[in-house]
Amino acid sequence: MEKKILQFAVIAFIFFAQNSFAQELYMPRNIKKAYAEGTRSKDGKPGKNYWQNHGKYNMEISVDPKTKIVSGTETIIYENNSKDTLKNLAIRFVNNLHKPSAPRGSSVSDDFLSDGLTITSLKIENEVYKEDARNWGTVGNVKLKKAILPHSKTILNIQWNYPLSKESGREGQIDETTFFVAYSYPRVSVYDDYNGWDRLPHTDRQEFYNDFNDYVFSVKAPKNYVVYATGDLLNPDEVLQPEFAARLKKSYTTDQILHIANEQEMKSGIVTKQYDWNVWKFEAKNISDVTFGLSDHYLWDASSVVVDKKTNRRASVQAAYDIKGTDFVNSVKNNQYALDWFSNNWPGVPYPFSKMTAFQGFADMEYPMMCNDSQMGDPVFAQLVQDHEVAHTYFPFYMGINETRYAFMDEGWATTFEYLIGIAEHGKEAADKFYQDFRVKGYINDRSTEEDQPIISMSTQVSGAGYGNNSYGKASLSYLALKDMLGDELFKKALHAYMDTWNGKHPIPWDYFNSFNTATGKNLNWFFNNWFFTNNYLDIAVKNISSDNKIITVENIGGFAIPFDAIITYADNSKAVLHQTPSVWEKNQKTAKIILKSTKKIKQVQLDGGIFMDATPENNILQIK
């Protein structure tokens, strides 16, 4: 009987603990409602009533290099998996950012501006809609003649065109005959369980939020243009001359880096089939977006790498670059290493897609299965940028992050993986120095108010340095601090539990918090509150040492629960390094006491936070007279 009572008590405790986790952290009213309705669960998993909508996109896209016009015909089968009746459709077209009337986060040149999207035909369930989209911003609205009922489908047929901007940012013209075509089709915006329609405009600062959809699409391009895209190329024999199709197919099964097409071959017009136009066909399923680039003179390299050692599954690794793109000569080699390392180390989840292509452009930006990076003239920095963009494969493309609202949920992780792979590539000293110089120093040495806004702040509500630091450096530091506190084994267990549960879905910050609580069996809310919901910063100090040399008191002036080393120099000049994990701040986030076992006389105490750079390092040393 006593055993049963004990078991019941343990079960009750676990149930109470799991259900109290989320309540301890601030939660907006709309998020509370999602938990109350059971679409989210306080154990960190999707709730029993979780749902998300889905689209099947079939698209025929054409790019005319002479007119710089992209045009398309698409059919969307849209599934409303919610319990709501949809009387409107929010249609998102990010490239309307180029319209002069679009709200933007910064000034632009005339070459950035364009007329934006024109819809030439729109049918929904075979009903014709008189909509040309000329008055749309980056999100338009279509009032439906026939509502979409819960758990039903509707079919959209759209014909459209838009001009590629002369000035290339995340997309546009790279040179006269090279184009990166991203965010290039009208899409149904996300309708989710905590905000309904995602109608937030794209302003070129905050990034993206998309449903997981299935895509079959084609790109029609003139002869001698090679098209590089998200997804699997379905018809290499129809668009490439036999020798080049054979090279590409060989690259799918070898570690050898192959030059699919070199400069002279591209110039000679012997790479593609010599029809006036070639139609390149691609397919990608359960993915949040598709994109493509094309050029008539870019060099083309390819190979592959085993990304899942249990199944020997390979991923294609490709690069497309100008003859002057010296940084890209090693792109395939570097991405072979990156895909292998990310798959087997951090995050330690096999690369989930079939391909990764590095395309030379100007954006230093990630896309599903592609990155659009600029020529740096510095191969080490170029590798780091490419590593960062490839790391985004996991966040936000494997995990369906709402980057628009919660950029720290993807940029923070990409920055963390960028740092960890940097240690493997260049050693800890070099990786630490780069991380400090590039991710922390500017933030911690700037006392401006915007630097210390809570990370949880919605990304659309912070700007400038506040946006950058909340999204990248501060968020990454929080993940690295948690890794230090939990240890690699438990941290990876929790990270995998979170990723296994939420890949292909739409996690929000509270899902991350709750998932880690459950996976670790610990109530980490004190830590999450400390890092995400406060105005804390990085600043600790040696307050004093007891007269008997037994206790060192450390003051947390900035407030963040950070790890640090206490470096003790004794009177005989011997040293001891005592590492303190963030758990030292759990009971008292303002003051920590380090108990010393040695009885030797102390000459100096120094605190070293490493990459957790201190705002006032001068008070990190205490000399004992």
Side-chain angles (χ1 to χ4, degrees), residues 350-387:
Y351 180 77
F353 302 128
S354 61
K355 182 165 64 176
M356 172 52 68
T357 301
F359 190 93
Q360 183 182 345
F362 299 114
D364 303 325
M365 181 68 191
E366 71 279 358
Y367 312 79
M369 301 195 212
M370 297 191 77
C371 55
N372 168 3
D373 289 339
S374 51
Q375 165 72 10
M376 303 284 179
D378 178 348
V380 174
F381 188 64
Q383 183 180 19
L384 180 136
V385 171
Q386 188 168 279
D387 286 345

Side-chain angles (χ1 to χ4, degrees), residues 36 91 109 136 189 195 227 230 286 326 336 380 438 445 475 498-499 538 618:
I91 306 293
S109 73
W136 285 6
S189 195
N195 274 312
V227 178
T230 300
N286 195 36
T326 54
Q336 283 178 308
V380 174
F438 194 57
N445 290 329
Y498 171 48
M499 295 178 72
L538 307 170
E618 58 271 15

